[in-house]
Amino acid sequence: MKGSGVKVLRRKEEEKKLQTAQVSDLCKRRLLNYADSFCELAKSYDREFVQECQDRGTLLMERRLWENRQIIRGHLTEMAKIMTEAACEVLSYQPMEGKKKKLLLQAMAEEGIRVENPCYLPRTNGQEAMILTMSTLKGAKVSAEEATDMISVILNRRLQLSVSSPYLIESVPQSFILEEEAGFLVLTGFSKAIKENETISGDNYSVIEAEKGRVTVMLSDGTGSGEAAGRDSEKVLDLMEKMLEAGFGMDTAINMVNTALFAAGEDQNHPTLDICDIDLYQGSCQLRKVGGAITFLKRLEEVEQFAVGSLPLGIFQKVEVQPVNKTLQDGDFLIMVSDGVVDAFERGEQEGAILRAISGLQGSNPGEMAQRLLRIALCACGGKITDDMTIGIIGIWES
C-alpha cells in the first residue's frame, strides 16, 4: 500500500510538470528546407548598385530595377525567418490537476458536453490560457460562449472564448482555447463625410480583434478623393490585415505594404496609415503613423495630441516608424481622424479649435461622440466639405 501511495504522488507531481509539443520532424525538415531555399534566393539579389552607363534615363531605369530586386530580397528573407520560427516553435502546456479535471468533466457531461484533455497554456504576457477538446453527447449544437461561461463558474476563473475558436460545439470533437479575461475592454465608433461631388470616400478604416487581448484600429487616407483613393486605402488595410493574420510583426507588415507600393512606382498612389494597437491586459497602446493626421487622447476634460512626422506609404523603399507608447486609464478615449477633419477648422486656429471641440465632448458612446465631433467639424467649415472626413473614437474601460 505504501508503494502504491508513492506512485500516486509521483504521478501527480509529473502531471504538474510543464510539457511541450512541436511540429513533427518531417514538417520541421520541410519548413527549414523551404527557409534555406528562400535564403539562397535572397542572396542572389544581394549586391551593390554599380553605375555602368552615363545615360541618365538608362541609369534611372537600372537604379529602379536594382531597388525592386532589394525589395524582393527583403521579402524572401522575411519569409525564411517566419518559416524558421514556425519550424522551431515549441508549444508549452500543463495538464490540468486530476481533481479539478474530474470536476470539470463531470459537470460539463451533466450539461451534455464531453470535455477531453484540458490543459493550461502559459502566455508570454504572464496570463494563462486553457486548451481543451469539446463535443456534444447527444448530437445537439451548443454555443461555445455559453460553455465558456459554464467553465468559468466551475473553475472560478474569468475566461473568454478566443477569437480563433469555433463558435459552436458539435458532435464532432473540436479544439477550443479559452483566454483569461482581459482587464480592459474597448468600444469603437466611426463617423464619415464624403467630399463634395464624390460618391465614395477615399478614407477607410479597420478594427482587428486578435488573440491575447489585443485590438488594432487602423485608418488609411487615400491620395486625393473618390473611387481611386478609396480603392488604394482599402487595399492598404486589406494587405495589413492579411500580414498581421499571417504572423508578421507590426513594423514588418508596414514595411512590406510600403515596399509593395514603392515597387509599383505610381507617383499618385501614396495612402497614409494610422495605427492604434491596444493591449487589453496591460491597459496600454502603441500609436504608429505613416503620414497619418493627429491622434488625440481625451482623459476627462484634458486632451493630449500625438503627431509623428512621417511621409505617406510608397515614397521611400523603407519607412522608419517610431511607435508612441501610452498607458491608458478607465474612461479614456482615443480619437483618430483623417486630414479632412483637421483642415475643416480655420487655418491658424486648427489646433486650438479641435482641442476645444474634443475637450467638450460628453457621453460614453464612441459612435455618438464621433457623430457630434463630425457635426462640429462640418459647422467649422460652413458645410463645405473639401476633403473626405473620417473620425474614429475608441473608448477604454476597466472590465
Side-chain angles (χ1 to χ4, degrees):
M1 290 295 292
K2 187 176 179 181
S4 61
V6 172
K7 289 180 181 178
V8 169
L9 287 172
R10 188 176 299 160
R11 187 173 66 250
K12 288 183 177 180
E13 287 297 320
E14 288 174 353
E15 286 179 352
K16 292 179 182 179
K17 290 180 181 177
L18 206 62
Q19 299 184 19
T20 60
Q22 59 190 91
V23 297
S24 68
D25 289 339
L26 176 60
C27 289
K28 184 176 182 178
R29 283 198 302 272
R30 292 183 68 178
L31 282 169
L32 291 175
N33 286 337
Y34 290 146
D36 288 341
S37 299
F38 280 118
C39 282
E40 290 302 316
L41 282 172
K43 287 177 183 177
S44 68
Y45 291 100
D46 187 13
R47 60 188 181 194
E48 295 293 328
F49 177 70
V50 179
Q51 183 175 334
E52 297 179 348
C53 66
Q54 299 300 321
D55 179 67
R56 186 171 184 275
T58 306
L59 180 64
L60 289 173
M61 184 180 68
E62 290 180 350
R63 177 76 185 186
R64 189 71 178 183
L65 182 60
W66 176 82
E67 289 174 344
N68 288 343
R69 285 172 175 164
Q70 300 315 298
I71 290 169
I72 294 171
R73 179 178 66 85
H75 288 186
L76 290 170
T77 302
E78 190 61 35
M79 288 302 299
K81 177 183 173 185
I82 289 176
M83 287 180 177
T84 303
E85 289 175 352
C88 300
E89 185 175 9
V90 176
L91 176 67
S92 300
Y93 66 95
Q94 181 178 337
M96 183 177 286
E97 306 91 316
K99 191 174 182 180
K100 193 173 290 186
K101 177 180 176 180
K102 184 178 180 181
L103 172 64
L104 176 63
L105 269 57
Q106 288 179 346
M108 294 301 288
E110 291 174 4
E111 300 294 334
I113 299 172
R114 179 187 290 109
V115 173
E116 301 174 87
N117 305 319
C119 297
Y120 301 118
L121 291 176
R123 295 300 200 191
T124 54
N125 58 9
Q127 304 297 322
E128 189 178 61
M130 279 182 58
I131 184 169
L132 66 169
T133 302
M134 290 191 286
S135 58
T136 53
L137 293 171
K138 298 180 180 179
K141 295 182 180 180
V142 179
S143 165
E145 288 191 353
E146 290 181 10
T148 302
D149 291 339
M150 296 178 201
I151 294 171
S152 296
V153 173
I154 294 167
L155 301 180
N156 193 26
R157 295 178 64 182
R158 297 171 61 187
L159 299 169
Q160 60 184 11
L161 187 69
S162 72
V163 177
S164 62
S165 294
Y167 293 112
L168 291 174
I169 304 172
E170 303 181 69
S171 56
V172 178
Q174 301 177 91
S175 292
F176 296 82
I177 295 178
L178 311 184
E179 302 278 1
E180 288 278 1
E181 189 173 298
F184 290 81
L185 59 87
V186 301
L187 289 176
T188 60
F190 290 84
S191 189
K192 301 178 72 172
I194 301 173
K195 182 183 177 181
E196 290 180 355
N197 302 320
E198 296 285 1
T199 57
I200 297 176
S201 174
D203 301 340
N204 276 292
Y205 61 85
S206 174
V207 180
I208 306 172
E209 185 177 355
E211 294 292 345
K212 304 178 186 177
R214 300 196 78 86
V215 173
T216 303
V217 182
M218 298 187 291
L219 173 62
S220 180
D221 183 353
T223 305
S225 58
E227 185 176 353
R231 189 167 54 246
D232 292 340
S233 60
E234 184 178 18
K235 181 180 178 182
V236 165
L237 296 181
D238 186 50
L239 285 171
M240 282 296 298
E241 288 179 10
K242 285 181 169 61
M243 293 289 183
L244 295 175
E245 288 171 0
F248 288 87
M250 186 69 72
D251 293 329
T252 300
I254 292 171
N255 262 295
M256 292 189 77
V257 173
N258 175 75
T259 51
L261 293 174
F262 179 82
E266 298 177 15
D267 293 336
Q268 302 302 316
N269 183 14
H270 300 298
T272 67
L273 181 59
D274 207 346
I275 302 174
C276 181
D277 189 32
I278 303 171
D279 186 326
L280 297 179
Y281 286 110
Q282 303 297 326
S284 62
C285 72
Q286 281 193 335
L287 303 174
R288 290 175 172 83
K289 291 181 175 295
V290 188
I294 301 172
T295 295
F296 304 89
L297 171 62
K298 174 178 166 60
R299 182 168 292 165
L300 299 176
E301 281 75 39
E302 294 184 3
V303 181
E304 188 176 356
Q305 55 182 333
F306 305 95
V308 182
S310 175
L311 293 172
L313 294 164
I315 294 178
F316 295 112
Q317 181 180 341
K318 185 176 178 63
V319 292
E320 295 293 338
V321 183
Q322 296 296 330
V324 177
N325 297 286
K326 191 66 185 176
T327 300
L328 303 173
Q329 295 180 12
D330 180 60
D332 282 352
F333 291 94
L334 287 159
I335 297 98
M336 303 171 71
V337 300
S338 61
D339 285 337
V341 177
V342 178
D343 294 340
F345 293 88
E346 185 178 351
R347 196 171 297 277
E349 298 292 328
Q350 290 173 331
E351 184 177 322
I354 196 168
L355 286 173
R356 287 192 296 273
I358 292 173
S359 177
L361 285 176
Q362 300 296 321
S364 58
N365 185 310
E368 293 177 358
M369 293 170 70
Q371 290 173 7
R372 282 198 292 272
L373 184 57
L374 180 62
R375 286 197 293 268
I376 293 171
L378 290 172
C379 288
C381 65
K384 188 174 182 181
I385 307 173
T386 59
D387 192 9
D388 299 313
M389 299 184 192
T390 300
I391 298 171
I393 296 186
I394 308 162
I396 299 98
W397 293 274
E398 290 184 2
S399 59

